[in-house]
Amino acid sequence: MAAKIPANGKSRTPASAKSSAENNDKLNSLEQDRTDGAGAVLTTNQGVPIADNQNSLRAGVRGPSLLEDFILREKITHFDHERIPERIVHARGEAAHGFFQVYESMAKYTRAGFLQDPSVKTPVFARFSTVAGSRGSADTVRDARGFAVKFYTQEGNFDLVGNNIPVFFIQDAMKFPDLVHAIKPEPNNEMPQASSAHDTFWDFVSLVPETTHMVMWVMSDRAIPRSLRMMEGFGVHTFRFVTAEGVSSFVKFHWKPLLGVHGLAWDEAQKLAGKDADFHRRDLWEAIEAGDFPEWELGVQIIPEEDEFKFGFDLLDPTKLVPEELVPVTRIGKMTLNRNPDNFFAEVEQAAFHPGHVVPGIDFTNDPLLQGRLFSYTDTQLIRLGGPNFHQLPINRAISPMHNNQRDGLHQQSIPKGRVAYEPNSIANGDPKEAPPEQAGYVSYPERVDGAKVRVRSESFADHFSQARLFWLSQSAPEQDHIVSAYQFELSKVEVPAIVERMLGNLARVDETLAKRVADHLAMAVPALDKKMAAEASAAIVPSPALSMLNAPKDGIKTRKVAILAADGVDGKAIAEMKAALQGAGAMAKVIAPHMGTLRSTSGDAVAVDHTITTMPSIAFDAVFVPGGEQSIATLRGNGDAVHFVLEAFKHCKAIAAVGEGSQMLASVGIPTESDPGIKLPDGIITAAAASNAVAQEFIKAIAEHRFWTRAGKDAVPA
Ligand code: HDE
């Protein structure tokens, strides 16, 4: 490529010199596509005003409709073509706009413009998704979550298309269609929807042991997040950073949520899938509408080129992670999501992410899964978005100038001027010209590549069990319990015994205890391992505390939802005080009652009701407060939905506080309270004779803990 200075003498200003205001202006230039019909007249697509949008044109009042009714024909035709193919994977998703700011220049590691100047706000669009389900499937199913971020930088779009799990099922793109066919609903009857608990998935993974590590993550609470705002994200593959001087290092990307990392209870996740299939979508939308903008810090693990072979695994193997204890995660910037889309289809559905959208300073490695992805994402958009011009859709457009000699194709939106659509040319002064590297032209890292053309898997990818073992042994006891229950649940649904047996064999290679616990539940035996395998499966490991969700910070209750369970005759003062304390700590408190409208309080004041007990079950909340008031508690004790509300919150290990007669509500459903002599209250249960600031503070502390997974008596409560 010849490096040329543009004849017109203009050079591109380095991104670091651009102000965030300018970035925002560029983004605003995309806003011209946002339209609404405020104050407008209804027209056809040709701009013809429509006089009657109620009736089709017909021959006689009761006669047949006429073919010449261009208004009806246009309307119906457009409607008939409203649907486009949903994404083959990650079909169910939601997204938001926001911005990213780097904390300090990363010039030492990368020339990427958006990672240089802390004053520059780079616009982003982040989409979260489940993997297996269709577009209309439920949010809270057990699945990995996609975590895709499009950075609209001054040097073009950079897409970080990751997941909330740091490793992937398979090592080579060649196996991706097989994996997806196995996890999707079975082809004969299209069941089950959005679930891995069926024969074909377990058949495949039991036969492909490299899946063992990721499957274990999917069986953990990571796969049933409490909120999209409370999950980590990972780039998964090893990428490269490259400096302006051409020096490269390996990099692993992480997203760290500032609200902590939390999961649901499995029973809760299943019920939410029915009672609020949009649970995660709603949660993200409402938080942003309320001004509680979710934030993640971008973390990087940087590995110098010369350390490539220093680990006991291959950095190119996407089934392996680099433990944070070996290479710390440095937090280099922050993403804030602060604006919901205006139109789901135009923005979320038409967003086209691609791991191959990189900017100068970021490059690929030879990870064979990443290499396959580099082909797949453009290819899929060609069918999904109907042609090669999907980059012109407003949501996909770069904010940096875009000029080249690509022309025509379906849905061309621009009108390129002039005679020239080739390069080199003399007629148009040689424009548009190549940008030499010093003007941020993209130069691939000149990695040396040398080898025979072969279809083989590198020996360095051969170990499939030790990191699964690392993950398992780094979990706390309740997290291990949840993993065991998930395997028990899923494998109980598998009908072919040989598949389960094979799976137990794979689990035994991770850890005998794990395999035995799962096997006992299934009334099966753990297959015997040979000596070498048995030795590997009992090898000592150094745990990685960062892999346990329970070790993530639990330092606040911002944006948590607390239900205040009440009926007529409630202690209004207790509600007001608790509400103030919770809201002061950043939580949301909602009064839930048997009916809408207002409640009469003991003091005679009216208490506004936010939701009824039947429309907002306890699974929609993080914690429950039961205030006193004799009449209120008498009503609630006689109301099966209210009783279920409290019991369910207890079963799901949530913080529950009750004051005054509220304690009787707990006592009547068998939950020990402060009035039971000599009994230790279960973890996360707070009861007191009267409301006080001390009780509120204790409750806030308990909510911050998220869940009390080891709570005594939880399993005795019916689901
Ligand atoms: Fe994807 N993946 N993927 N994937 N993926 C798609 O692209 C594919 C993989 C991920 O919000 C598709 O536009 C192949 C790993 C996310 O729009 C498709 C392979 C990771 C999203 C595709 C992988 C991901 C997708 C479907 C193996 C985590 C949603 C629609 C070689 C690092 C992006 C589309 C969004 C979407 C192919 C593996 C994450 C078909 C071939 C590993 C978050 O192109």
Side-chain angles (χ1 to χ4, degrees):
M1 187 212 297
K4 295 181 203 122
I5 302 296
N8 60 11
K10 279 189 215 147
S11 76
R12 289 180 58 181
T13 319
S16 55
K18 310 247 175 175
S19 71
S20 64
E22 189 177 344
N23 244 10
N24 288 338
D25 284 353
K26 292 260 170 102
L27 188 65
N28 289 341
S29 73
L30 301 180
E31 302 299 293
Q32 69 204 21
D33 295 287
R34 290 181 198 272
T35 57
D36 65 26
V41 151
L42 190 69
T43 70
T44 66
N45 288 339
Q46 306 306 317
V48 178
I50 296 174
D52 180 347
N53 192 36
Q54 317 307 319
N55 302 295
S56 48
L57 191 67
R58 58 193 71 139
V61 195
R62 300 180 58 250
S65 298
L66 297 177
L67 193 58
E68 76 165 62
D69 187 351
F70 65 94
I71 297 177
L72 174 73
R73 269 190 355 252
E74 182 196 85
K75 187 173 178 180
I76 298 275
T77 306
H78 196 278
F79 170 76
D80 290 343
H81 295 260
E82 273 178 10
R83 289 290 165 270
I84 62 169
E86 65 175 31
R87 290 166 174 84
I88 166 83
V89 281
H90 297 266
R92 170 80 185 169
E94 39 277 324
H97 296 272
F99 62 90
F100 172 81
Q101 261 178 306
V102 73
Y103 290 147
E104 57 184 54
S105 170
M106 294 296 291
K108 202 171 142 203
Y109 300 107
T110 173
R111 68 179 297 178
F114 77 107
L115 295 177
Q116 306 302 323
D117 182 348
S119 76
V120 172
K121 281 187 178 178
T122 299
V124 298
F125 187 64
R127 181 174 183 270
F128 307 101
S129 46
T130 54
V131 179
S134 310
R135 194 180 147 189
S137 58
D139 281 347
T140 57
V141 297
R142 178 177 296 286
D143 200 352
R145 298 298 184 283
F147 194 129
V149 180
K150 192 180 281 296
F151 297 76
Y152 303 88
T153 88
Q154 297 284 354
E155 297 167 314
N157 289 351
F158 167 52
D159 293 354
L160 186 50
V161 196
N163 278 345
N164 75 330
I165 290 178
V167 290
F168 201 64
F169 290 111
I170 47 167
Q171 296 172 323
D172 191 308
M174 192 68 139
K175 298 312 297 168
F176 191 67
D178 297 298
L179 166 75
V180 174
H181 288 172
I183 199 170
K184 282 274 179 180
E186 300 193 4
N188 52 347
N189 55 20
E190 219 189 20
M191 291 192 287
Q193 180 55 247
S195 166
S196 53
H198 59 111
D199 285 51
T200 57
F201 175 72
W202 289 98
D203 189 24
F204 179 79
V205 298
S206 68
L207 290 166
V208 183
E210 71 206 47
T211 59
T212 311
H213 186 193
M214 174 149 175
V215 170
M216 188 147 317
W217 282 76
V218 174
M219 293 303 112
S220 80
D221 293 349
R222 300 266 183 172
I224 41 172
R226 153 66 183 88
S227 162
L228 303 169
R229 302 174 293 124
M230 298 172 197
M231 62 183 200
E232 291 185 303
F234 304 90
V236 176
H237 313 281
T238 305
F239 288 85
R240 280 180 188 281
F241 267 164
V242 186
T243 66
E245 294 72 38
V247 178
S248 157
S249 43
F250 296 108
V251 60
K252 289 270 188 191
F253 292 108
H254 295 244
W255 289 109
K256 299 279 187 187
L258 294 192
L259 292 172
V261 188
H262 303 297
L264 297 166
W266 177 228
D267 176 61
E268 183 186 20
Q270 290 180 88
K271 288 172 174 169
L272 276 168
K275 295 215 175 188
D276 187 2
D278 306 309
F279 184 71
H280 285 146
R281 179 176 292 187
R282 191 184 311 287
D283 170 272
L284 180 66
W285 178 277
E286 287 181 351
I288 292 174
E289 289 299 298
D292 290 326
F293 302 140
E295 296 172 316
W296 287 262
E297 285 184 313
L298 179 64
V300 290
Q301 285 175 300
I302 292 178
I303 298 154
E305 188 83 29
E306 58 272 22
D307 287 352
E308 181 173 4
F309 300 109
K310 141 176 165 186
F311 305 92
F313 53 87
D314 198 325
L315 283 178
L316 302 185
D317 175 357
T319 66
K320 304 295 185 300
L321 53 85
V322 180
E324 291 188 28
E325 293 74 11
L326 287 187
V327 180
V329 174
T330 311
R331 298 173 183 228
I332 64 166
K334 194 169 74 177
M335 171 170 78
T336 306
L337 298 183
N338 61 1
R339 185 162 61 95
N340 279 315
D342 285 320
N343 182 274
F344 189 89
F345 181 85
E347 300 179 77
V348 188
E349 209 49 22
Q350 295 201 119
F353 294 89
H354 187 350
H357 291 165
V358 288
V359 288
I362 300 180
D363 208 333
F364 315 116
T365 60
N366 297 331
D367 171 342
L369 192 71
L370 173 60
Q371 296 279 322
R373 294 181 75 198
L374 296 180
F375 164 74
S376 179
Y377 287 66
T378 304
D379 188 42
T380 204
Q381 311 310 345
L382 292 176
I383 180 100
R384 201 171 72 78
L385 299 173
N389 289 314
F390 56 86
H391 59 280
Q392 297 181 8
L393 293 166
I395 196 64
N396 297 325
R397 252 179 251 161
I399 61 168
S400 55
M402 195 225 89
H403 301 287
N404 59 39
N405 295 311
Q406 295 169 32
R407 289 291 184 273
D408 309 345
L410 282 174
H411 315 306
Q412 173 62 259
Q413 307 290 309
S414 332
I415 305 179
K417 295 200 281 188
R419 297 163 68 191
V420 166
Y422 55 88
E423 192 275 346
N425 68 69
S426 65
I427 298 177
N429 190 31
D431 290 338
K433 294 188 177 66
E434 292 167 341
E438 59 277 16
Q439 289 173 38
Y442 190 94
V443 181
S444 291
Y445 178 67
E447 179 186 359
R448 192 184 157 73
V449 179
D450 187 12
K453 205 189 284 177
V454 286
R455 282 189 194 276
V456 287
R457 194 73 59 93
S458 167
E459 255 310 298
S460 55
F461 282 38
D463 165 23
H464 305 317
F465 298 101
S466 48
Q467 282 214 346
R469 183 168 170 74
L470 169 72
F471 180 70
W472 164 250
L473 292 176
S474 300
Q475 303 301 301
S476 63
E479 286 172 310
Q480 287 193 339
D481 291 347
H482 296 179
I483 291 171
V484 168
S485 305
Y487 276 111
Q488 291 172 345
F489 178 96
E490 299 255 327
L491 292 174
S492 309
K493 293 213 170 195
V494 173
E495 289 164 6
V496 177
I499 296 176
V500 182
E501 211 169 293
R502 241 186 345 255
M503 231 11 256
L504 291 172
N506 284 351
L507 287 183
R509 295 190 64 181
V510 176
D511 186 78
E512 285 271 12
T513 318
L514 163 65
K516 176 124 186 31
R517 288 178 67 184
V518 178
D520 284 352
H521 178 85
L522 301 167
M524 290 180 73
V526 178
L529 297 182
D530 70 28
K531 254 196 175 153
K532 184 171 164 281
M533 290 178 186
E536 281 164 5
S538 52
I541 59 121
V542 182
S544 166
L547 297 179
S548 162
M549 286 165 76
L550 293 198
N551 291 330
K554 294 193 255 9
D555 46 11
I557 67 165
K558 262 182 84 183
T559 79
R560 303 296 172 78
K561 283 183 160 178
V562 183
I564 300 177
L565 195 57
D568 282 311
V570 70
D571 176 354
K573 195 163 157 278
I575 292 188
E577 283 173 13
M578 184 59 91
K579 233 181 170 175
L582 291 170
Q583 285 169 353
M588 229 182 280
K590 301 281 179 199
V591 175
I592 310 299
H595 59 78
M596 289 303 287
T598 53
L599 300 176
R600 264 180 297 100
S601 77
T602 38
S603 57
D605 295 343
V607 175
V609 175
D610 294 298
H611 304 285
T612 64
I613 299 172
T614 44
T615 54
M616 272 293 191
S618 80
I619 49 178
F621 294 94
D622 294 291
V624 181
F625 173 56
V626 191
E630 214 177 309
Q631 193 199 336
S632 168
I633 294 303
T635 306
L636 293 175
R637 286 173 70 173
N639 178 322
D641 292 324
V643 169
H644 182 68
F645 196 101
V646 175
L647 276 176
E648 203 175 42
F650 182 81
K651 183 175 181 64
H652 297 154
C653 307
K654 295 173 181 175
I656 304 176
V659 295
E661 292 86 354
S663 299
Q664 292 168 21
M665 179 77 190
L666 270 50
S668 68
V669 295
I671 302 174
T673 68
E674 90 290 350
S675 50
D676 295 313
I679 284 201
K680 183 179 169 296
L681 261 54
D683 295 340
I685 302 294
I686 298 147
T687 65
S692 70
N693 186 43
V695 171
Q697 292 315 316
E698 207 186 325
F699 188 37
I700 288 169
K701 229 173 104 200
I703 301 169
E705 283 297 308
H706 180 60
R707 298 294 167 92
F708 296 87
W709 296 122
T710 54
R711 172 179 285 169
K714 67 174 169 44
D715 294 332
V717 175

